[in-house]
Amino acid sequence: MTIQFKDESFRGDFTYANSPSNIPRFPFPFPEDEYMYSTNIEPHHAARAGSPFENAFDVDEHYVAEMKDRALVLADDPGRCQALPHMETAGWDFLELVMVSKARDYPDLFKLTMDGDRWHWINKPLQIDDTFTFGDSSTLPCHPMEYIGRQVQGDHAILDQRDGNLWMDAGIITAQADWSLDFDIGMNFFEWHAPVPLAHELGVFQRALKFLLTLPQGQPSRRLNWTLTVNPRLDTSPENYPKWGPDRMTVTPENIGEKVHLRVELQTFWRLPRSNAILFPIRTYLMAMNEVVTQPKWGRRLHRVMRDLRPELVDYKGLSRYHPILVEWLSQFDDGAPTSPGIFPD
């Protein structure tokens, strides 16, 4: 496997873009021509070679650039990485899962050698070559969660399970869609989901929690979530709203294809072995509208989903200022033909 990593930015001049070969592997989030909240959880097993679902932790052409962006965010705001004291064992669980998975799935990029508790880890893309004692944080440059969190794409929350609930007690969160780890740290499952409209009334979160509380070890699950973002900016945190909020005012019919991005989260759920916590990776993928519509099925379907999206969801996802412009722009790519089931392009 050979991946050509891109030198690109998610801020400033926004040079991020998907190569033509990367576009068809995008995790398009709409299996039908309409959208409504649902639990939409399925087993996270290997599926469709070349897709983001092929391996446990997807690595693509944006890996190095995303890790550079994470380092910039953490340098500016260390509070984006927090772990309550009782979560250190879960941090080691997280480190082990990522290292073992990446060394297995991408042996040309990552290598892990284990001699008892003495581990040797090589990350070729980031030029990391470290030897440490598993379980001894003094042998790492930082907390195990932060150490491995700086080497894996996507945000990662670790949820402690107790009292019949899940508690967000640790996380490394630098690419979130308008929520704050600093605010949510220590909250339970229903508290951090409180702002979401409609889903509570539909019982979505009650069913999701019931499922997650019984998640077995070795049987991870996944789901897709989505929103839209103006400019390919990973860090759309509440703390930095003054930097990205005004971007919504810059969308015009002339630039909407390049400025508005479909922002998809591949969310996976893993039961960790020692701590019994749940690892919750939130891997973000970005694709400009101009790139989305290169796949005719996606262009048709996205127009229909956006056209019929309920007003509550338009408002919650922050689309109100440019939603009518987007629907009109997308209409040119919808010829009325039927679309095939599922998320993959034809």
Side-chain angles (χ1 to χ4, degrees):
M1 176 185 298
T2 301
I3 301 175
Q4 298 297 319
F5 297 113
K6 302 185 69 175
D7 183 11
E8 57 192 354
S9 61
F10 301 89
R11 58 185 66 214
D13 55 358
F14 294 110
T15 61
Y16 169 92
N18 290 285
S19 66
S21 62
N22 204 56
I23 290 175
R25 73 184 305 276
F26 183 77
F28 188 74
F30 305 114
E32 302 172 321
D33 288 355
E34 59 183 359
Y35 171 79
M36 186 55 195
Y37 277 122
S38 65
T39 308
N40 71 311
I41 295 176
E42 64 180 8
H44 183 46
H45 52 62
R48 192 156 177 142
S51 78
F53 314 117
E54 180 179 8
N55 295 313
F57 295 90
D58 185 39
V59 176
D60 66 9
E61 63 186 12
H62 308 297
Y63 174 67
V64 174
E66 288 188 31
M67 295 302 92
K68 289 180 179 177
D69 194 77
R70 166 152 296 158
L72 291 173
V73 174
L74 291 174
D76 184 61
D77 183 3
R80 301 291 194 90
C81 180
Q82 297 189 44
L84 299 184
H86 64 281
M87 298 299 286
E88 184 161 336
T89 298
W92 284 106
D93 281 338
F94 172 33
L95 177 146
E96 177 186 45
L97 176 62
V98 172
M99 287 187 176
V100 169
S101 299
K102 286 197 168 192
R104 178 194 65 223
D105 295 339
Y106 303 93
D108 57 328
L109 302 177
F110 307 96
K111 182 179 180 181
L112 176 64
T113 304
M114 296 180 286
D115 181 10
D117 290 339
R118 198 65 176 164
W119 289 23
H120 182 202
W121 168 246
I122 298 175
N123 179 329
K124 293 180 182 178
L126 299 185
Q127 300 180 352
I128 293 172
D129 186 332
D130 286 335
T131 300
F132 60 92
T133 301
F134 185 86
D136 183 354
S137 295
S138 69
T139 62
L140 287 175
C142 54
H143 189 282
M145 180 189 70
E146 179 179 352
Y147 177 78
I148 199 61
R150 287 176 176 265
Q151 301 180 55
V152 59
Q153 287 166 279
D155 289 337
H156 293 78
I158 306 182
L159 315 178
D160 192 34
Q161 182 167 328
R162 61 182 186 273
D163 303 328
N165 213 325
L166 296 173
W167 304 79
M168 188 175 294
D169 286 349
I172 179 164
I173 311 292
T174 65
Q176 65 265 53
D178 201 12
W179 65 278
S180 170
L181 175 67
D182 202 37
F183 184 78
D184 289 352
I185 192 82
M187 286 188 178
N188 69 39
F189 189 80
F190 294 117
E191 290 170 339
W192 84 69
H193 283 115
V196 181
L198 302 177
H200 294 276
E201 294 89 331
L202 295 171
V204 170
F205 294 127
Q206 292 86 343
R207 293 193 297 273
L209 179 63
K210 183 178 180 180
F211 173 83
L212 292 172
L213 289 175
T214 59
L215 182 70
Q217 185 183 342
Q219 298 181 38
S221 296
R222 64 175 176 245
R223 67 182 296 268
L224 294 176
N225 192 25
W226 71 275
T227 188
L228 300 181
T229 297
V230 180
N231 294 322
R233 188 190 298 272
L234 283 175
D235 179 14
T236 55
S237 59
E239 290 87 346
N240 279 334
Y241 181 80
K243 296 180 181 179
W244 60 267
D247 290 350
R248 297 171 178 174
M249 303 292 291
T250 66
V251 177
T252 68
E254 292 73 31
N255 66 21
I256 196 166
E258 63 183 77
K259 288 190 74 74
V260 174
H261 287 66
L262 181 56
R263 183 188 189 105
V264 176
E265 296 174 350
L266 170 55
Q267 303 177 352
T268 54
F269 309 91
W270 305 76
R271 176 71 66 183
L272 298 176
R274 300 169 186 83
S275 60
N276 199 45
I278 289 181
L279 176 67
F280 177 30
I282 310 165
R283 170 66 192 282
T284 296
Y285 297 80
L286 294 167
M287 183 165 287
M289 290 294 114
N290 281 340
E291 297 173 336
V292 173
V293 299
T294 63
Q295 309 301 306
K297 171 182 170 179
W298 292 354
R300 295 186 191 103
R301 178 163 292 167
L302 189 57
H303 169 247
R304 297 166 194 180
V305 168
M306 289 296 128
R307 179 194 62 199
D308 301 333
L309 196 62
R310 293 180 61 165
E312 301 95 325
L313 296 181
V314 171
D315 183 62
Y316 171 68
K317 291 182 179 289
L319 318 182
S320 302
R321 292 190 180 275
Y322 57 85
H323 180 255
I325 303 174
L326 178 61
V327 172
E328 176 62 26
W329 185 85
L330 285 169
S331 67
Q332 66 185 302
F333 303 101
D334 186 355
D335 58 6
T339 57
S340 61
I343 66 173
F344 296 108
D346 293 331

